[in-house]
Amino acid sequence: MTKLLSAYQGVVNETVISQLRQLGSRLTGRSVVHVNSTREGGGVAEILDWMILLMRDVGLDAHWEVITGNSDFFSVTKKIHNGLQGFPVNISKREWQIYREVNEENAVRLRPILKEADLVVIHDPQPAGLLGLCPDRQGKWIWRAHIDVSRPARSVWRELLPFVSGYDASIFSMSQFAQPLPHPQFLIPPSIDPMSPKNMELDPEELDSVRHQYNLAPDKPLLVQISRFDRFKDPLGVVAAYRLVRAIQPVQLVLAGGGATDDPEGKEVLDEVLEAAAGDPDIHVLLLPPDAHRTINALQRLADIVIQKSTREGFGLTVTEGLWKGKPVIGGDTGGIRLQLVNYHTGFLVNTAEGAAHRIRFLLHHESLRNKMGIKAREFVREHFLLTRQLREYLTLFHILSSGVDSSAIYI
Ligand code: UDP
């Protein structure tokens, strides 16, 4: 598969493209390997899908490797994930041992490619242990944390620290997540691909057909939250907010999500959501396959308001996806959602189901404001959260690390 930077001309201006080509030309032929823990499902896979191809197009020899593990491993890494996002968890010595062992198994398979690579980007905690298992590495290694590590459970952070300290640099999505670490840290928020099936323009016939397929009423305001079924995404809070609105006016809700292969809690949360939604024909809980990108795109476009009521969020790509489609977004006042939602401009930040309901009703009653906010929302994304900005920041970081300049004084 190929993806060409030139296709983005028109979405962003020409100088953006030529700057990326210039940066790429300084890195021609350098090998970069990204490693994460799932090929599909969740924001990291969504980003790596385009990033590998565009890095190749600007001249890098880019690869994407995925670690494998059994269900015990992914239960432990989900606990680590929850702990890093501030949820109190107890991880036993045996569980940390499982974490180490699975990293060792993956290191055996990946070592040949990792030790030769000029640059290695390890995404999130699951594969973080690989660094210590490649003692003869030649390139620079970066740890990229996508989650909200602003207030980690101390015991989890303490155990993880020896795995991440040895990296040459780390990347966080926002300054609030930066941690005391013995290497330079860079701030690079995620971004979306405006031309992917998830975000491209769709014609009205396709929107109609998705509306019919899921039995959505054309004349009732539609609220949409797209998320893995994860407690931090607060789907039950969304149902509660919907109920408060529904008590006063007609409205319908879509909660759509699928599983990620590295997320073992999804089934449990989905069951809770189904129970909360039972018997209400205006709540549509959709379990979508991993490649349902156009369907998600259509649902976001059909929405009057996009919701992302997370209680913790590293970034929340679904917020940018909604904004790009010209929708005001109501999002949890947390983590990376705060980078994207500017009250009264691109959406609203909320802390409770009651607050969300209040903002939903306000927006449903102010159609012209809603439209104006939608226009601002799209331009805000064009300026800050398209893939070209993120690619530029990665290439700049690669250039800094491979040219050996003192990166401690450099800010991205
Ligand atoms: N997503 C998807 N199918 C689903 C649920 C989510 O394709 O059933 C996509 C969603 O559109 C977004 C990404 O997965 O692109 C989720 O990224 P986000 O940063 O919002 O959350 P994460 O899952 O990484 O915590």
Side-chain angles (χ1 to χ4, degrees), residues 213 216 225:
Q213 184 182 354
L216 304 174
Q225 172 159 306

Side-chain angles (χ1 to χ4, degrees), residues 42-43 46 198 226-228 233 257-258 296 313 316-318 321:
E46 194 79 21
K198 177 71 58 64
I226 309 285
S227 275
R228 287 179 297 110
K233 308 286 183 183
I296 290 172
E313 194 61 81
L317 278 180
T318 50
E321 287 164 7

Side-chain angles (χ1 to χ4, degrees), residues 86-103:
F87 193 76
V89 289
N90 231 324
I91 304 177
S92 65
K93 284 204 159 57
R94 173 68 198 127
E95 288 175 310
W96 281 108
Q97 181 66 19
I98 292 171
Y99 174 79
R100 257 188 295 272
E101 282 167 9
V102 173
N103 267 271

Side-chain angles (χ1 to χ4, degrees), residues 221-228 233-243 245 251-256 299-300 303-311 313 316-323 327-333 337 341 346-350 352-353 355-361 363-364:
L222 176 63
L223 314 174
V224 170
Q225 172 159 306
I226 309 285
S227 275
R228 287 179 297 110
K233 308 286 183 183
D234 198 18
L236 295 178
V238 179
V239 173
Y242 153 88
R243 287 247 153 79
V245 178
V251 65
Q252 53 189 339
L253 170 66
V254 165
L255 282 170
L299 290 168
Q300 288 166 331
D304 293 280
I305 300 169
V306 166
I307 303 196
Q308 189 55 59
K309 210 201 138 310
S310 307
T311 54
E313 194 61 81
L317 278 180
T318 50
V319 174
T320 278
E321 287 164 7
L323 297 175
K327 309 293 167 172
V329 176
I330 294 177
D333 185 3
I337 297 180
L341 296 188
T346 61
F348 288 104
L349 292 166
V350 296
T352 58
H358 183 85
R359 291 314 192 189
I360 291 166
R361 294 197 55 225
L363 282 173
L364 291 180

